[in-house]
Amino acid sequence: MRARHIAVVAGTLGLLCVPAHAEARDISRDILAPNDGWASAEGGTTGGAAADDAHVYTVTDRAGLVRALDHGSDTPKIIRIAGTIDANTDDDGDHVDCADYATDGYDLKKYLAAYDPRTWGSAKPSGPQEEARQASAARQAERVVLPVGSNTTIVGLGKGAVLKGASLQVRNADNVILRNLDLRDAYDCFPVWQPNTGGLGDWKTAYDNVWLAGATHVWVDHVTASDKGHPDAAEPTYFGRNHLRHDGLLDITNGSDLVTVSWSRFADHDKAMLIGNGDTATGDRGRLRVTLHHNTFESVVQRAPRVRFGQVHLYNNRYVVEEDDADHRYSLGVSTESGIYAENNVFHTPGHVEVADLVKSWNGTALHQTGTLFNGYPVDLLAIHNTYNSGSERDLTADVGWTPTLHTKIDSAGTADREVARGAGAGRIP
């Protein structure tokens, strides 16, 4: 740590001058260790470690964060978040709610009346209320979508760094580190009705807490991501479907590559993590190389993760399904041309969730798994999946076509269970 390092810029709203010696340990110039997953390949991941002192910021509000991000520029930068930052604020720092974003006559009751499937049918919504919804959504996006550029490190200070309502988007950027952040409630005020989704129609939301799209060399570490504040389970039902307000917690799509996600907590959410966004996105072949280790997935309904095309090393992760999680669908999604290599993961579930419920396949062909613990007992996820789902899904083989070589020490599932329970998530960096 630099003994005299000062975080700048001074005198700017939301940017503080803070002596580095005021912190127990300055993690802002940490880089990813060698061999720590896919993000350590091909030159490694250093984020903003090369930033000069003029580009090290401590931010306390949205305005300061936006200025520090610099429109997603490639300039090496370190951004340290202090306290709670609410993305749904105006330029004066006042909170903005959904009613403030609504424009052009948008009204939810009118929207529901206009596109009720019983009268509207199965056509894509169009007309004045859909146009008003789009205009309103654009106003919210201006506030909550925060672009993260190349050579950037964003870290939380201490144990209480919270970013709520925001969607951090790393698009076509390289060399990014996100650490020690509590990312909450990327809440979409204006979901769109999609009549043909899933056969029955569904609500489509716009924002992930973190979205990697065409991103390379990204390290996400000791992050907590959740819907805290506005759980989808508390939302009403319209057209027979839950009025969803959240998309993914961390989605890795559009050819993203060389990503390590470690010691993070994903909680209280429906679709947690999508790796690869479409069965026809054949340009993703050879990319979407992701390592997930020492993470916990708690009360997550599905996509923990769901994988297309990518080579994903999944080791020492902890899965917890609570007794009242009645909607749990699956944990590991094996989709088109995916290669999941799963080692020493542990699952805790109530009686209504069985081993056969943990893996779901859509056009998948293979899953490598070893060392899995289920409620304290060793199980073979692959064999059980093939036995109990053979009537509805093709059998999976164990040959995923690759073997991981970039990884830290792989603990036993029992050891990982204890260590991850104690150490995963924001505010828990040793």
Side-chain angles (χ1 to χ4, degrees):
M1 181 177 71
R2 297 185 178 185
R4 302 293 297 172
H5 175 71
I6 300 293
V8 292
V9 174
T12 304
L13 180 64
L15 304 180
L16 300 179
C17 289
V18 180
H21 60 70
E23 301 167 41
R25 185 168 81 86
D26 184 1
I27 65 171
S28 60
R29 292 189 185 270
D30 287 359
I31 65 175
L32 182 64
N35 299 312
D36 192 350
W38 275 117
S40 67
E42 300 178 16
T45 300
T46 60
D52 58 30
D53 286 351
H55 293 92
V56 180
Y57 310 95
T58 297
V59 302
T60 61
D61 59 17
R62 178 191 175 277
L65 177 56
V66 168
R67 279 192 289 274
L69 286 168
D70 190 26
H71 306 288
S73 77
D74 293 345
T75 303
K77 64 185 74 67
I78 293 171
I79 303 172
R80 310 192 306 178
I81 292 179
T84 297
I85 293 178
D86 183 358
N88 287 290
T89 54
D90 62 20
D91 290 340
D92 294 325
D94 295 326
H95 180 73
V96 180
D97 62 22
C98 293
D100 296 316
Y101 291 126
T103 189
D104 294 353
Y106 174 82
D107 180 86
L108 178 58
K109 291 182 179 179
K110 292 180 180 178
Y111 188 90
L112 294 172
Y115 307 115
D116 188 324
R118 294 172 296 182
T119 54
W120 178 261
S122 61
K124 182 179 177 181
S126 62
Q129 274 299 305
E130 172 57 16
E131 293 168 4
R133 187 204 64 80
Q134 292 179 22
S136 302
R139 294 183 69 186
Q140 185 184 18
E142 290 177 358
R143 297 279 101 190
V144 303
V145 172
L146 302 177
V148 181
S150 299
N151 310 312
T152 298
T153 292
I154 306 177
V155 298
L157 291 180
K159 298 182 181 297
V162 177
L163 180 58
K164 65 179 183 179
S167 178
L168 292 175
Q169 299 193 358
V170 187
R171 305 184 69 174
N172 302 315
D174 177 70
N175 194 30
V176 172
I177 294 174
L178 306 175
R179 300 186 76 199
N180 199 38
L181 298 167
D182 186 343
L183 306 174
R184 301 178 183 173
D185 192 24
Y187 186 89
D188 186 352
C189 289
F190 308 101
V192 61
W193 174 246
Q194 295 187 326
N196 294 311
T197 298
L200 299 175
D202 210 349
W203 294 98
K204 173 64 176 175
T205 57
Y207 308 121
D208 305 315
N209 292 39
V210 179
W211 182 27
L212 310 183
T216 53
H217 290 107
V218 179
W219 180 28
V220 178
D221 178 68
H222 281 92
V223 162
T224 295
S226 72
D227 298 344
K228 188 172 183 177
H230 290 96
D232 279 337
E235 296 291 332
T237 296
Y238 298 127
F239 306 153
R241 309 293 287 173
N242 183 224
H243 195 220
L244 296 173
R245 298 292 191 155
H246 305 89
D247 197 4
L249 293 176
L250 168 59
D251 280 5
I252 305 169
T253 66
N254 297 81
S256 292
D257 198 21
L258 303 176
V259 177
T260 296
V261 182
S262 56
W263 294 99
S264 291
R265 179 174 179 265
F266 302 94
D268 305 317
H269 189 80
D270 185 358
K271 303 176 180 72
M273 185 181 298
L274 181 65
I275 301 176
N277 55 310
D279 292 343
T280 60
T282 54
D284 285 344
R285 287 174 179 149
R287 303 180 69 81
L288 297 173
R289 292 173 290 178
V290 178
T291 300
L292 303 175
H293 74 83
H294 294 92
N295 304 292
T296 186
F297 295 87
E298 300 176 21
S299 296
V300 165
V301 175
Q302 57 186 314
R303 297 186 184 177
R306 179 178 177 178
V307 181
R308 296 178 176 94
F309 296 103
Q311 293 180 342
V312 176
H313 191 195
L314 187 75
Y315 73 90
N316 285 167
N317 298 284
R318 182 174 188 263
Y319 294 81
V320 179
V321 182
E322 300 291 353
E323 184 67 41
D324 57 354
D325 292 340
D327 294 331
H328 179 269
R329 293 184 59 189
Y330 67 91
S331 295
L332 308 185
V334 182
S335 297
T336 303
E337 297 185 32
S338 62
I340 300 174
Y341 201 103
E343 299 181 272
N344 297 12
N345 300 290
V346 61
F347 296 82
H348 298 279
T349 78
H352 67 272
V353 177
E354 302 177 354
V355 179
D357 300 321
L358 301 179
V359 176
K360 175 70 176 174
S361 175
W362 299 264
N363 302 318
T365 60
L367 169 67
H368 177 97
Q369 78 82 47
T370 57
T372 304
L373 280 184
F374 177 80
N375 290 336
Y377 295 93
V379 296
D380 186 330
L381 289 180
L382 179 63
I384 293 173
H385 172 271
N386 287 344
T387 298
Y388 287 91
N389 296 290
S390 60
S392 58
E393 302 173 14
R394 74 172 74 177
D395 284 356
L396 302 174
T397 72
D399 183 8
V400 294
W402 73 291
T403 301
T405 59
L406 296 170
H407 54 79
T408 56
K409 179 177 180 286
I410 300 178
D411 297 315
S412 69
T415 297
D417 187 23
R418 295 187 294 273
E419 294 299 318
V420 172
R422 286 194 294 262
R428 296 183 174 185
I429 294 180

